[in-house]
Amino acid sequence: MTSYFILLALIPASALIMEDVFPPRLEECYLEKADKNITQYDVQKSCLESFLEHMYNNKSSIGLRTDAFDWLDSLGRKLHNRLRRQTRYRLRVRKEIRTLSENEFQNFIDAVKALKSDTSVSPNKYDSFALMHQGGAGKSAHDGPNFVSWHRYYCVLFEEALREYNSGVTLPYWDSRPDYLMDNQEDSILFTEIFLGNPKGVVYTGPFAYWSTPTKPSTLLRRELGIKGSPINPDRLKAVFRKGYHREILRPTAPNSEHANLESHHDSVHRWVGGNTGHMADITLSLMDPIFWLHHCFIDYLWEKFRERQTKLGINSETDYPPTTILEHMPNRRMDNLRPQKNKYSGI
């Protein structure tokens, strides 16, 4: 034991401690408020909150690496090849996450975490999927008629990736309408350690506790539930199912004022979970929170119900692609980051 302390004492202090530069933005704030009639506590609280908010909101994301893109591309091609070979595609059953058996829930969680820990591609397979939602996908997957089809194919690909670890896993969905009807929406059991972890601040409970994100600088998974937005309002959602054509429920032609805009219902849930600083509120970072997949699976479910309504009305959902002047949403354009799929609608 004595020799251990002697060796430690011989290590230069510079090898153990490195002085960092005091952030100029923080220093400027302290100096600015020092002469004002404000308590030292309030000065520190105000300046620190401002500094941390600036740091968080100015993070930059990394791009998708070549090895990750090749893996994702091969995943899509395998899916297409299998669909071509099969005369009948066996339907998979997706369930509401709160109705899964204990074993089904654990299998899903284990598969998601396996993707996160698989570093055979950079930075890992889960984050590679998350990064697909950035770049060109920011425009081609949102604010236009391709919104529903891009995310449908995206969810199917993610499901394919999960099934590489467990062939019995399917993506569950999260129907947020029951949460809307709660007296206190923030008491949803979904945001407890039993399911997906705490609703506010850094996620420190549940299966995704302390998940890091591939941003620069790296941040921990964060939520800010309940300060804006809301779960899906079941009464307002009915407006979607009073329509018959996609142009009546999708941007840019569907008006928000009639509550028939499906993407607006989707946006409200993102804001409700993410607030101002949570990952779900940021279009480029929302994938960092696995609740993204559950939410989008439900949006996909709603779209399928709308397609069923179209069939009853004698409308061909496969060809009912609204005319658009938005380049990224043109029907024959290949989906950004989702080769080889095109924007045209498909039941997959």
Side-chain angles (χ1 to χ4, degrees):
M1 182 65 71
T2 304
S3 60
Y4 174 82
F5 282 108
I6 291 173
L7 286 172
L8 185 61
L10 293 175
I11 299 175
S14 60
L16 298 176
I17 301 172
M18 181 177 68
E19 183 177 340
D20 197 5
V21 178
F22 193 77
R25 185 183 184 89
L26 197 54
E27 183 177 13
E28 290 172 7
C29 182
Y30 283 152
L31 293 174
E32 178 188 349
K33 296 181 182 294
D35 296 332
K36 297 181 179 179
N37 189 23
I38 307 175
T39 66
Q40 290 184 354
Y41 172 82
D42 287 336
V43 169
Q44 292 191 36
K45 182 175 183 294
S46 174
C47 290
L48 281 172
E49 286 180 349
S50 175
F51 173 72
L52 291 173
E53 182 177 1
H54 170 78
M55 286 292 293
Y56 186 84
N57 289 332
N58 283 277
K59 56 192 173 299
S60 59
S61 59
I62 63 175
L64 197 61
R65 309 285 176 82
T66 302
D67 59 343
F69 194 89
D70 289 344
W71 168 66
L72 293 163
D73 194 31
S74 68
L75 202 62
R77 294 187 184 281
K78 287 177 184 176
L79 172 62
H80 276 263
N81 290 336
R82 188 166 70 254
L83 291 175
R84 289 193 192 100
R85 290 195 305 268
Q86 293 179 191
T87 55
R88 293 186 62 187
Y89 186 66
R90 181 180 297 176
L91 293 178
R92 300 172 186 171
V93 178
R94 290 177 175 171
K95 301 179 181 180
E96 214 280 341
I97 189 167
R98 288 166 286 200
T99 69
L100 296 178
S101 69
E102 185 176 344
N103 189 53
E104 288 171 331
F105 177 77
Q106 195 58 53
N107 286 341
F108 166 66
I109 295 298
D110 288 346
V112 174
K113 294 173 80 171
L115 279 175
K116 184 76 168 179
S117 61
D118 190 335
T119 57
S120 60
V121 300
S122 302
N124 60 66
K125 286 188 172 181
Y126 182 90
D127 290 340
S128 294
F129 258 102
L131 294 169
M132 289 173 71
H133 202 249
Q134 300 181 355
K139 290 185 177 180
S140 68
H142 306 89
D143 296 317
N146 188 39
F147 163 69
V148 283
S149 49
W150 194 97
H151 285 91
R152 166 165 289 190
Y153 189 64
Y154 195 31
C155 286
V156 170
L157 270 188
F158 185 70
E159 193 171 68
E160 287 294 301
L162 294 176
R163 290 167 71 88
E164 287 188 337
Y165 300 96
N166 187 328
S167 60
V169 168
T170 55
L171 269 175
Y173 63 87
W174 167 38
D175 181 352
S176 63
R177 290 174 298 180
D179 304 291
Y180 180 87
L181 297 173
M182 294 180 65
D183 291 335
N184 186 351
Q185 297 172 347
E186 296 178 32
D187 286 340
S188 170
I189 195 172
L190 198 67
F191 297 98
T192 65
E193 62 181 8
I194 299 174
F195 282 97
L196 301 182
N198 52 289
K200 292 187 177 181
V202 170
V203 177
Y204 59 88
T205 64
F208 309 118
Y210 301 110
W211 264 37
S212 61
T213 64
T215 55
K216 295 180 179 179
S218 178
T219 57
L220 296 178
L221 179 59
R222 184 180 181 87
R223 298 178 183 136
E224 198 175 23
L225 191 82
I227 67 169
K228 57 172 64 174
S230 77
I232 291 177
N233 182 323
D235 287 331
R236 290 183 174 182
L237 182 65
K238 292 175 183 177
V240 172
F241 296 96
R242 287 194 284 267
K243 305 297 182 181
Y245 292 93
H246 283 118
R247 65 175 182 270
E248 298 175 295
I249 68 164
L250 296 172
R251 291 174 182 162
T253 49
N256 290 326
S257 58
E258 296 180 11
H259 306 303
N261 190 316
L262 183 58
E263 193 169 355
S264 292
H265 290 287
H266 148 272
D267 292 349
S268 180
V269 177
H270 272 276
R271 292 194 299 270
W272 185 61
V273 177
N276 290 321
T277 61
H279 284 85
M280 270 286 280
D282 189 323
I283 193 172
T284 63
L285 300 176
S286 55
L287 269 294
M288 307 306 173
D289 193 335
I291 200 172
F292 171 98
W293 300 105
L294 312 181
H295 172 46
H296 271 275
C297 271
F298 183 61
I299 297 299
D300 188 67
Y301 168 82
L302 294 175
W303 182 39
E304 189 59 26
K305 288 299 179 184
F306 182 81
R307 284 161 52 91
E308 291 175 4
R309 170 175 166 76
Q310 287 189 305
T311 299
K312 292 178 181 178
L313 294 173
I315 300 169
N316 187 340
S317 183
E318 297 287 327
T319 59
D320 179 40
Y321 195 94
T324 180
T325 58
I326 306 173
L327 176 63
E328 291 83 3
H329 289 263
M330 292 293 185
N332 288 313
R333 185 176 184 273
R334 294 201 179 277
M335 290 183 178
D336 284 292
N337 296 349
L338 290 180
R339 296 184 308 183
Q341 192 73 351
K342 292 186 178 181
N343 289 352
K344 285 182 178 179
Y345 289 158
S346 172
I348 304 294

